[in-house]
Amino acid sequence: MASPMRSLFTDPARYVRSFRLFLANSTEHQCMQEFMERELPAVIASIGNEKSTINILSVGGGAGEIDLLILSKVQARYPGVTINNDVIEPSADQIFKYKERVAETSSVENVKFTWHEETAYEYESRMNAEKKSKKWDFIHMIQMLYYVKDVPATIRYFHSLLETQAKLLIILVSGNSGWETLWKKYSSSLPLDDLCSYVSSDDIKKMLDSAGLKYQVHELPSYMDITSCFIEGNKDGELLLDFLTETCEFSKTAPPELKRQVMEELRKPECSEKRDGKVLFNNNLSAIVIEP
């Protein structure tokens, strides 16, 4: 009998709700912001040397929250320099929110924004068809490599677009996170579709090593409060479980034995720690900075 379980991506509205709840319950954005404050200035220290214009490519820019923080750091390092900021983002809704955010930000007069409503693969195909290969001073791919079909090919392509002083920044879940444990154990039981693949910083490091590329890794500690997942019938808990398993209505559609195992796994120290009566899921990220 076919399982009633289906991928969370088959219900975009529910996916967005679960994602927003994940952001509200986790230190995801805070740990990235900390990285941008502390480490990014050194990463971008030479990308714009002697340039009158800096070209930045955001792959999977989402609603622009982290992008604008990155731009503020580039502006601080290179005051008054013109910045071309191109954004690849397949979701029209996210682009709309990004444009709203830009409209409310006063400090971006010297930034020229161009949005491409397409996937990374569509962008690559279009550039190849148009025989264009624009070079970039800084490319970043934040929490988006789960949504590409061929991860090594995607990294290879965007890496090939780097200028000589440029950097490619990838941020995604760490190999020591709870995600890694959960995914490696249960991905074969979950209704993954073609829209999402499980990949962590460990996988990326192997790919970069085999390609002989130079890189540095920064670990970004983060957690997500999943206490509500263990309260039967709690709506927020059900949404967070959907996000953790990438399954629509996981708590209602998963076979009882699978649900029991996943709930047990989530409590284990490999996935979460208990603190002040809360269950905090290990949401650690890695920031990987790749040289040209």
Side-chain angles (χ1 to χ4, degrees):
M1 191 182 102
S3 162
M5 288 200 297
R6 61 191 176 100
S7 163
L8 183 54
F9 293 99
T10 60
D11 186 339
R14 191 171 173 89
Y15 171 77
V16 168
R17 274 177 33 232
S18 70
F19 176 64
R20 291 204 176 124
L21 192 64
F22 156 70
L23 287 181
N25 277 270
S26 72
T27 58
E28 169 95 353
H29 272 177
Q30 292 91 310
C31 80
M32 283 195 220
Q33 283 160 347
E34 226 164 86
F35 170 79
M36 300 306 168
E37 295 292 344
R38 288 185 188 166
E39 312 290 346
L40 191 67
V43 171
I44 58 168
S46 61
I47 62 166
N49 285 355
E50 283 130 48
K51 298 201 165 192
S52 57
T53 305
I54 295 173
N55 296 314
I56 298 178
L57 182 61
S58 163
V59 187
E65 191 176 349
I66 301 295
D67 283 21
L68 288 178
L69 186 57
I70 290 172
L71 287 169
S72 72
K73 297 297 164 203
V74 177
Q75 286 175 311
R77 174 69 184 82
Y78 302 100
V81 170
T82 302
I83 299 170
N84 290 324
N85 188 69
D86 277 39
V87 182
I88 300 169
E89 171 53 57
S91 160
D93 180 49
Q94 292 283 71
I95 289 177
F96 179 75
K97 290 197 172 65
Y98 197 137
K99 288 179 176 175
E100 278 188 328
R101 192 164 263 138
V102 168
E104 291 159 7
T105 307
S106 58
S107 57
V108 287
E109 311 83 46
N110 64 332
V111 183
K112 182 176 172 287
F113 289 90
T114 310
W115 287 274
H116 306 277
E117 192 186 313
E118 55 194 347
T119 65
Y121 180 71
E122 286 163 352
Y123 176 86
E124 180 183 346
S125 306
R126 184 168 63 80
M127 288 296 140
N128 289 337
E130 293 172 10
K131 303 216 171 356
K132 286 182 183 164
S133 61
K134 182 173 176 177
K135 295 284 187 180
W136 301 90
D137 300 306
F138 188 51
I139 300 176
H140 53 86
M141 313 164 96
I142 297 175
Q143 290 290 47
M144 58 69 65
L145 280 173
Y146 323 109
Y147 311 112
V148 304
K149 287 263 200 312
D150 187 336
V151 177
T154 301
I155 293 174
R156 261 198 314 275
Y157 171 70
F158 286 102
H159 181 265
S160 76
L161 305 181
L162 291 177
E163 286 279 17
T164 49
Q165 298 281 321
K167 296 283 190 287
L168 169 60
L169 169 66
I170 293 173
I171 297 182
L172 80 171
V173 298
S174 168
N176 68 21
S177 67
W179 295 105
E180 174 84 345
T181 309
L182 196 64
W183 290 351
K184 291 284 184 273
K185 220 168 197 175
Y186 294 103
S187 60
S188 58
S189 310
L190 297 170
L192 272 191
D193 57 17
D194 288 347
L195 289 170
C196 191
S197 59
Y198 289 142
V199 58
S200 76
S201 62
D202 283 1
D203 304 305
I204 303 300
K205 287 189 278 192
K206 284 183 193 126
M207 291 171 199
L208 297 175
D209 289 338
S210 71
L213 294 176
K214 276 177 66 179
Y215 62 92
Q216 290 109 25
V217 182
H218 304 263
E219 289 296 320
L220 319 183
S222 174
Y223 64 82
M224 163 172 43
D225 184 348
I226 59 167
T227 315
S228 59
C229 294
F230 301 95
I231 303 166
E232 198 62 45
N234 181 292
K235 287 282 171 270
D236 282 359
E238 287 178 2
L239 269 175
L240 284 175
L241 263 179
D242 286 10
F243 191 77
L244 283 160
T245 59
E246 311 243 309
T247 304
C248 196
E249 305 268 9
F250 176 80
S251 55
K252 294 189 174 74
T253 61
E257 181 53 23
L258 176 65
K259 185 181 171 184
R260 188 192 64 74
Q261 287 177 11
V262 166
M263 299 308 286
E264 207 171 276
E265 192 67 41
L266 285 171
R267 284 185 181 277
K268 287 183 182 170
E270 292 79 10
C271 274
S272 305
E273 64 164 302
K274 292 187 181 62
R275 203 190 309 155
D276 306 328
K278 291 178 174 167
V279 183
L280 302 178
F281 181 78
N282 178 332
N283 184 55
N284 288 357
L285 304 177
S286 295
I288 304 172
V289 180
I290 308 167
E291 305 286 330

